[in-house]
Structure formats: structure tokens, C-alpha cells
Amino acid sequence: GLALLLLLAVNASCRGDEAREAWRKASEFLAAFLLAGLVAVAALALEARVTAFGWTGLRVLAAAAILMLGAYGVSYAAAALISIGGGRWMQRLEGANRLLALLLVGACLALASPLADPVRLAVKAQVARAERGENLDFPWLRNKGLRFGHDALLAMTRSGDPLLARDAAITLSVAPAADAPTPSEIGANIILLAPGARLPSSLLE
């Protein structure tokens, strides 16, 4: 999110051939490298999460966003370095923006198509984790994996690994989790310290 705001700020400052103060030019130069740094931090955070729990649909989308922002970061840093050698300040941003806009449209179309469906890719990655003997996100496969997750769990029930087959069968036997807890489930997780006190049902609803 910070990288995206920084990207918008750089483009808001660099507008055509208008003259800009030295502090604005210096800010654009630093922002170009800060953008790449923020993307690197986001990539490390995502990598740690994926290593621990595997891929999900949202993490695939996050990876796509990080890759796109990384492309912007590298392009903007290159434009800043080239600007040191002379010429119009940060002029390479214009060409980079046009090229990256086409790339962004292509990435969005791919993610919205069966070619790179985020859920399908995430389920495929989860199955690969199972083959390597790593921990799986069974609840995600059951609740958010759509038909891809359901088919993968069915296949796992026939696995030669008895523990994996058992866990997959148990996961399939449990009803999908609701998007929101029921009032009774909320009340069961609230402990009232006042003796004899009760929460009004309207509050829980």
C-alpha cells in the first residue's frame, strides 16, 4: 500500500516538462529508490508467510501486485540514475509508464482468466506441498479453494500417505465455515466478569 501511494506521488510530481524546484527533484530521486525498497520488504514478508502456510488465492494476487510494483521500482530507479547524466529530469518515466501499463493490463487479464486463476494456482501449490510432506492449509482448501480445492482434497483421500488421506477425509466431512460467526458463537467466546450478567441478544445479533 505504501509503495502504491509512493508511485502515485512520484507521478503527481513529474508532470510533463514543467519546471520543478530542486527539492521536488530530489524527492523524486529518493522516492524512486524507496519504492524499490518497500517492494523488497513486501516480498520478504510474503515469502515468509508462504513458506510457513503455503499459497492462497490472496497471496497469489499479492505476489502479482508485488511483481508489478517491483517492475515500477526498478524502472523508476533506472530513470533516476539516467537523469544524473543530464537531459530532462526523470524523462524515462514516460516510456516506462506506457510499457508497464500494457504489462499491467495483460497481468490483470491473465489473473481473470483460467490461464492464471489465483485459486487454481494456489491449490496446485498446496498439492505440491503435500507431495513434499509439508504442512497444508486444509481449512483454506475446504472453504476458499472452490472446486479446485474440493477436487484436490478428494484426490488426497486416495493418497498412499494414511495421515494425509485421513486429514483430507476429515476436512471434507466438516461443513464449510460461514463467512461470519453466528450470535451464539460470538457469545460463547465472551466471558463476563460480573456475576450473573448476561449480554443482550440484540447486541450479539
Side-chain angles (χ1 to χ4, degrees):
L2 289 173
L4 180 57
L5 290 175
L6 194 60
L7 175 66
L8 295 174
V10 171
N11 280 278
S13 180
C14 297
R15 290 180 296 179
D17 297 324
E18 68 175 16
R20 300 192 295 280
E21 298 85 351
W23 69 268
R24 279 179 60 182
K25 292 184 176 182
S27 298
E28 294 162 6
F29 184 86
L30 293 175
F33 292 95
L34 181 58
L35 175 60
L38 287 172
V39 172
V41 172
L44 289 173
L46 179 63
E47 190 273 338
R49 196 73 176 169
V50 170
T51 299
F53 303 106
W55 288 96
T56 64
L58 283 177
R59 290 173 194 150
V60 171
L61 291 175
I66 288 173
L67 287 174
M68 280 304 310
L69 287 171
Y72 275 100
V74 171
S75 300
Y76 282 27
L81 290 175
I82 293 173
S83 296
I84 297 177
R88 192 155 52 87
W89 186 252
M90 302 292 281
Q91 61 180 326
R92 302 304 190 285
L93 290 189
E94 300 169 5
N97 280 339
R98 285 192 289 268
L99 178 61
L100 292 172
L102 294 175
L103 183 61
L104 178 59
V105 171
C108 290
L109 290 175
L111 290 169
S113 71
L115 179 65
D117 185 287
V119 175
R120 183 180 66 83
L121 293 178
V123 169
K124 187 175 181 180
Q126 289 282 350
V127 171
R129 285 175 67 89
E131 295 173 352
R132 297 192 300 267
E134 299 177 8
N135 292 330
L136 296 184
D137 194 341
F138 284 103
W140 181 84
L141 286 172
R142 180 68 175 91
N143 300 321
K144 304 292 183 180
L146 305 179
R147 62 183 178 86
F148 307 109
H150 185 268
D151 293 345
L153 287 170
L154 280 177
M156 289 178 194
T157 60
R158 300 185 292 272
S159 170
D161 184 345
L163 293 179
L164 179 62
R166 181 204 64 185
D167 291 342
I170 292 175
T171 302
L172 285 173
S173 66
V174 177
D179 292 335
T182 63
S184 59
E185 290 173 335
I186 296 174
N189 286 283
I190 299 176
I191 299 176
L192 299 177
L193 300 182
R198 295 182 59 184
L199 287 173
S201 59
S202 58
L203 175 63
L204 298 177
E205 291 171 359

